Amino acid sequence: MGPGPMDIHPRVYQALTSPVIGHLDPSYLEAIDRVGVLLQETFQTANKVTNATPGTGTSGMEACVANLLEPGDKALICVHGYFGDRIRQMAERQDAEVTVLEGAWGKPTDPEAVAQALSTGEFKVVGLIHAETSTGVLQPLSDISKLARDHGAMILLDTVTSLGGVELKVDEWGIDVAYSCSQKCIGAPPGMAPVTFSDRAMRSVENRKHAVRSWYLDIGLLNKYWGSERVYHHTSSSTMNYALLEALELIDEEGLDERFERHLKNHRALVVGIEGMGLEMLVEPEFRLPTLNTVLIPDGVDDATLRGFLLQEYNLEIGGGLGALKGKVWRVGLMGYSSLSENVIFFLSALDRALAKQGHRSDIEVGLTAAAEVLNG
Ligand SMILES: Cc1ncc(COP(=O)(O)O)c(C=O)c1O
């Protein structure tokens, strides 16, 4: 129950044992097409260029940044956690002219600050994180995407901890490019990075003055393999793609709305459980991310000792804080196949034992009763 990778469904394990076949085998190409269609459904987009790049979420990030930005392009990057800063670093490596909009960790980016920053220049791209895994903040997007649209800038969105777990409407929200990973809410192993590029984004790539600096992640070249031309680009991993495909089929069978509802309910149960126990969440209720919950570490409790105890005694992994939040929060993931009511109850009970071990008393009965009420409601 950390920030990922999460447990995977037995059917996804089964898919990992599929025979290894060639990347141009007709039946494999059908599977790649199906991955594209199911990713369109999951991203809620009609973008033709939608598939999965090889590599983890960071490869999706690099694909989006390296294709949209070239030397001298102006990019506004919103940073209110660890991963926004990674986009900034990548944009700077493209020799883009980067303006960083710094926000407080644990809060979303403020649309007014975006408006103010946009008024200072002509930006090609606004980059931001939908679900900041380091802080547990879910970024509201409608205001910022309207501001970017009115400005003429493209939105580059990290959906690593939101795709398949919380509502994400790429077309309706006017997102130009987005990327994610396979190992969180999608429910597959790490190793694939779903990406989607709008027609507008593809036109911008086609009109670049310089070739994309990453050959491997050049979206034009990748699309010649994903699209009808079927030009060899790299030895696509059938093992990873069949696992991703099975995970996407599971999402399709569950239904997106039902899936979001499941994630939300388990998150709500966890929050009332935590608060019932007398602990506090980092993030204000309206910006809490259902898939990644940040719990404030109570005074006097040793972070590493507690997480070590959970792992040793209960085989339960939770995440520690990153960057500015190191030692201040625990990060509890409820994503994909692992977003289960029994995991909520198990976590609260195990946490109570781990706190007691350090002499910290929590009101576990109140917490469990409150959680059960949500889960049974
Ligand atoms: C929001 C966010 N973006 C990017 C990444 C990088 O993904 P990966 O570790 O799969 O490369 C992560 C990883 O947890 C993340 O949480």
Side-chain angles (χ1 to χ4, degrees):
M1 296 178 74
M6 308 310 287
D7 294 342
I8 60 174
H9 192 284
R11 270 174 51 189
V12 179
Y13 274 119
Q14 182 74 41
L16 281 166
T17 65
S18 309
V20 172
I21 59 171
H23 50 280
L24 292 173
D25 185 295
S27 69
Y28 182 56
L29 293 173
E30 271 176 33
I32 295 278
D33 287 349
R34 179 84 180 140
V35 166
V37 168
L38 291 173
L39 281 176
Q40 283 176 326
E41 277 179 24
T42 317
F43 274 121
Q44 302 197 52
T45 181
N47 289 343
K48 291 183 284 300
V49 182
T50 302
N51 215 293
T53 62
T56 63
T58 306
S59 106
M61 185 189 284
E62 193 118 50
C64 291
V65 173
N67 281 279
L68 281 202
L69 291 174
E70 55 184 322
D73 283 346
K74 276 178 175 287
L76 176 65
I77 310 297
C78 306
V79 178
H80 56 95
Y82 185 86
F83 291 102
D85 188 64
R86 189 174 289 187
I87 301 186
R88 171 197 63 79
Q89 293 178 44
M90 285 188 183
E92 285 177 353
R93 286 180 185 217
Q94 301 302 324
D95 289 333
E97 238 183 74
V98 178
T99 301
V100 176
L101 179 57
E102 290 271 2
W105 285 45
K107 298 203 183 309
T109 293
D110 177 6
E112 278 182 26
V114 174
Q116 159 65 26
L118 286 175
S119 71
T120 64
E122 251 187 50
F123 291 90
K124 179 178 181 187
V125 167
V126 176
L128 74 170
I129 310 279
H130 186 210
E132 182 47 86
T133 326
S134 60
T135 63
V137 167
L138 181 63
Q139 175 70 49
L141 281 163
S142 52
D143 289 352
I144 294 179
S145 90
K146 182 172 182 323
L147 285 167
R149 216 174 19 254
D150 293 349
H151 183 85
M154 288 184 282
I155 292 256
L156 180 162
L157 189 67
D158 178 309
T159 67
V160 163
T161 303
S162 58
L163 183 71
V166 298
E167 190 157 80
L168 166 64
K169 297 182 171 176
V170 163
D171 286 359
E172 198 177 311
W173 296 350
I175 308 302
D176 296 281
V177 297
Y179 61 89
S180 190
C181 72
S182 47
Q183 76 270 18
K184 298 192 197 257
C185 307
I186 295 292
M192 298 301 294
V195 293
T196 186
F197 280 67
S198 68
D199 289 350
R200 178 187 184 205
M202 288 308 289
R203 274 197 303 280
S204 139
V205 177
E206 280 150 21
N207 292 330
R208 287 173 63 103
K209 292 190 219 67
H210 311 272
V212 178
R213 283 183 172 180
S214 166
W215 192 94
Y216 196 49
L217 295 171
D218 181 327
I219 198 70
L221 298 180
L222 279 163
N223 197 39
K224 284 190 177 162
Y225 172 62
W226 295 335
S228 54
E229 292 179 61
R230 301 302 191 189
V231 177
Y232 160 71
H233 173 264
H234 66 282
T235 308
S236 171
S237 165
S238 60
T239 311
M240 286 311 305
N241 268 297
Y242 280 124
L244 175 61
L245 177 56
E246 196 61 29
L248 292 169
E249 296 287 8
L250 283 161
I251 295 177
D252 187 50
E253 286 165 29
E254 182 174 7
L256 275 185
D257 288 346
E258 289 74 9
R259 194 173 176 91
F260 299 155
E261 191 46 45
R262 169 166 63 87
H263 281 80
L264 203 55
K265 191 176 197 178
N266 291 328
H267 157 74
R268 284 195 186 123
L270 185 124
V271 170
V272 296
I274 284 292
E275 292 176 345
M277 286 170 71
L279 304 175
E280 285 174 64
M281 303 293 292
L282 170 75
V283 180
E284 294 299 311
E286 65 267 44
F287 304 121
R288 280 182 197 150
L289 176 58
T291 51
L292 194 286
N293 302 273
T294 36
V295 179
L296 287 170
I297 301 178
D299 286 344
V301 172
D302 184 74
D303 171 27
T305 308
L306 183 132
R307 284 188 291 120
F309 178 86
L310 289 179
L311 196 56
Q312 249 180 343
E313 298 296 316
Y314 296 101
N315 196 23
L316 173 61
E317 185 199 7
I318 62 168
L322 273 182
L325 293 176
K326 193 167 164 38
K328 298 193 175 132
V329 295
W330 292 308
R331 295 183 302 144
V332 185
L334 282 171
M335 308 182 206
Y337 182 56
S338 291
S339 177
L340 296 170
S341 54
E342 51 266 46
N343 278 355
V344 174
I345 299 296
F346 173 53
F347 165 69
L348 295 174
S349 312
L351 180 63
D352 171 63
R353 298 317 312 142
L355 289 169
K357 185 87 185 154
Q358 295 195 31
H360 183 96
R361 289 178 64 91
S362 62
D363 212 336
I364 186 63
E365 281 191 18
V366 175
L368 285 179
T369 306
E373 264 170 28
V374 172
L375 295 172
N376 299 330

